[in-house]
Amino acid sequence: MKISYYPGCTLKNKAKDLDEYARASAVALGFELGNHTHSHYDLTTLSEPILCDEIDRTDRALCAFDGKERHLLRAPFGKNNDFVTAAAPVPMIDW
């Protein structure tokens, strides 16, 4: 069974050491890390450059743990539309 972990907004959490431990542990256990954006904004309200920055910042942070440049994206609040799907530089999943 595959398990995905979407740390998302915890990347900016003040409990950084705990968050890093959780991500490293998830990778060690074989979990797939997923992108839930850096700031957890409603992606349908963002411009394309800001949307892409939210995704790219999280992908770079996750790459430090699993070595993957891109991660499956789950939009915050489940908010997605045609614009987000077209602008996102990564595959998306719905909850």
Side-chain angles (χ1 to χ4, degrees), residues 3-8 10 19 22-24 26-27 31-35 62:
I3 298 173
S4 297
Y5 173 55
Y6 290 83
T10 62
D19 292 337
R23 286 189 297 278
V27 170
F31 292 17
E32 175 185 358
L33 295 181
N35 190 325
L62 295 175

Side-chain angles (χ1 to χ4, degrees), residues 59-76:
D59 272 343
R60 286 192 303 271
L62 295 175
C63 183
F65 292 91
D66 65 8
K68 296 178 184 177
E69 291 185 19
R70 290 294 185 191
H71 299 83
L72 189 63
L73 173 66
R74 183 169 66 88

Side-chain angles (χ1 to χ4, degrees), residues 3-52:
I3 298 173
S4 297
Y5 173 55
Y6 290 83
C9 58
T10 62
L11 292 172
K12 64 179 184 166
N13 191 317
K14 292 181 181 173
K16 186 177 178 187
D17 291 340
L18 178 59
D19 292 337
E20 289 180 3
Y21 174 77
R23 286 189 297 278
S25 296
V27 170
L29 291 169
F31 292 17
E32 175 185 358
L33 295 181
N35 190 325
H36 199 48
T37 72
H38 181 77
S39 302
H40 207 258
Y41 295 135
D42 175 349
L43 299 182
T44 65
T45 67
L46 303 179
S47 67
E48 185 171 348
I50 294 173
L51 182 150
C52 289

